[in-house]
Amino acid sequence: MLAARANKIKNPFLWRPQLNDPKDEMVLEVAANGQIQEHLT
């Protein structure tokens, strides 16, 4: 369901490393490159 509403974006550059937890780096990259308005965890 969620994948059907997703938009494919280009990833012009990586934001790594920025966070203390390396597992969260992908979330930061997706948020920044996708120019999200809100992020819920």
Side-chain angles (χ1 to χ4, degrees):
M1 299 280 187
L2 185 59
R5 298 190 61 191
N7 295 321
K8 196 172 198 177
I9 61 166
K10 292 183 180 181
N11 192 3
F13 55 92
L14 299 177
W15 290 84
R16 299 176 191 186
Q18 294 289 323
L19 304 175
N20 292 334
D21 187 350
K23 295 176 189 172
D24 291 337
E25 297 289 348
M26 183 181 63
V27 176
L28 174 63
E29 285 181 12
V30 170
N33 289 321
Q35 300 175 354
I36 64 167
Q37 299 294 320
E38 297 178 25
H39 178 202
L40 302 174
T41 58

